[in-house]
Amino acid sequence: MTTTNTKMEEKRGEENHSSNSATFRSKVEKMQGIIHEYSAGGWDKCWEQRVTPWDLGQPTPVVLEILEKKTLPKGRVLIPGCGAGHDVIAIANPERYVVGLDLSENALKRAREKSSSSPNAKYFEFIEADFFTWHPTEKFDLIFDYTFFCAFEPRMRASWGKRMHELLKPDGELITLMWPTDDRDGGPPYKVSVADYDEVLHPWGFKATSITDNELAHVGLRRGCEKLGRWKRYL
């Protein structure tokens, strides 16, 4: 490829990135308007109106990579805020029973429609419930938080940490996809940092085993401001 062609490709890439960024920001702003207007029912309204900028339409790429590397714990898995259930379906197998939890009826309707013919359907279920008040009959070996933490106002984060302690087995693992870590005001999504997670998890016996940049962030504008955290519960 000539130097001229290379520069043209780079320019097109920059233009596409700029366009995607603007589209994403527009969807986020519309989402925020719906949530602020409908309060507790805002998330369900977003799914009803299909204003879901967080939904990839496919499993989270970094989850697929972890599955390929065979480093996910076996046993019972919880995915709070599971939405359309892409990660639930991807993770579920004879070694892992996955519970997808969401308070949105419309999200779970879509998840059930999508998964009705899945060959691994007997290894997962979807439950409509509030993460903060739901009481399962058994605890979990693994919890995957896909930017779930950033959806809550900062005043609720301590309660999130307590719930992770209550829902995860001793020696269980919590995986957090942390975003947005760049500077911003307001939300959701609300700005987060590794320190924010550590502040609410450490008192409950959690320690980070690894914190890495997520190089597989699904859109360019999230690369560099999205991190993958893996935490063990030792108490």
Side-chain angles (χ1 to χ4, degrees):
M1 183 180 291
T2 66
T3 301
T4 300
N5 288 339
T6 299
K7 289 181 178 179
M8 290 177 63
E9 288 296 330
E10 290 175 350
K11 183 178 180 180
R12 278 196 290 267
E14 290 172 358
E15 291 173 348
N16 289 337
H17 174 76
S18 178
S19 176
N20 290 339
S21 297
T23 300
F24 184 77
R25 281 194 294 268
S26 176
K27 289 181 178 179
V28 169
E29 289 172 1
K30 187 174 182 180
M31 173 202 75
Q32 291 170 341
I34 293 171
I35 291 171
H36 293 152
E37 179 180 355
Y38 291 94
S39 188
W43 293 108
D44 192 51
K45 203 70 177 176
C46 285
W47 281 102
E48 180 185 323
Q49 297 186 15
R50 296 184 180 272
V51 183
T52 55
W54 63 86
D55 181 41
L56 308 187
Q58 61 183 19
T60 309
V62 74
V63 167
L64 297 179
E65 181 183 59
I66 295 172
L67 282 168
E68 186 175 333
K69 291 181 177 179
K70 302 185 185 302
T71 61
L72 274 185
K74 300 175 183 179
R76 284 174 55 80
V77 182
L78 173 65
I79 302 181
C82 69
H86 309 294
D87 293 322
V88 172
I89 300 167
I91 294 174
N93 61 33
E95 296 180 332
R96 297 182 192 89
Y97 187 84
V98 186
V99 175
L101 187 75
D102 209 296
L103 52 70
S104 169
E105 178 183 356
N106 281 297
L108 294 185
K109 179 181 179 182
R110 193 177 304 182
R112 292 181 177 118
E113 289 172 351
K114 174 181 175 60
S115 64
S116 60
S117 59
S118 295
N120 60 341
K122 64 181 179 180
Y123 302 117
F124 63 80
E125 65 178 306
F126 294 105
I127 297 176
E128 183 182 341
D130 186 330
F131 169 77
F132 292 101
T133 58
W134 176 60
H135 295 287
T137 56
E138 297 180 59
K139 293 190 176 186
F140 295 89
D141 300 279
L142 169 67
I143 300 178
F144 175 55
D145 181 311
Y146 168 63
T147 61
F148 183 61
F149 181 85
C150 69
F152 304 112
E153 295 180 17
R155 63 182 175 82
M156 298 181 65
R157 290 175 177 176
S159 298
W160 174 93
K162 180 182 179 183
R163 287 299 285 153
M164 290 301 175
H165 167 77
E166 293 170 344
L167 294 169
L168 198 64
K169 294 178 182 178
D171 203 37
E173 183 172 4
L174 168 64
I175 296 179
T176 57
L177 203 51
M178 299 177 279
W179 179 84
T181 59
D182 56 342
D183 289 331
R184 67 175 59 214
D185 296 319
Y190 296 92
K191 179 186 174 183
V192 302
S193 68
V194 174
D196 292 328
Y197 286 81
D198 192 61
E199 180 181 356
V200 298
L201 289 172
H202 183 74
W204 298 105
F206 286 85
K207 293 183 180 179
T209 58
S210 69
I211 302 290
T212 57
D213 289 335
N214 179 21
E215 300 298 337
L216 297 175
H218 70 285
V219 287
L221 62 94
R222 289 178 63 157
R223 293 195 180 100
C225 58
E226 184 172 295
K227 294 184 180 294
L228 178 71
R230 301 190 73 159
W231 313 76
K232 291 285 287 186
R233 182 191 160 195
Y234 292 102
L235 299 179

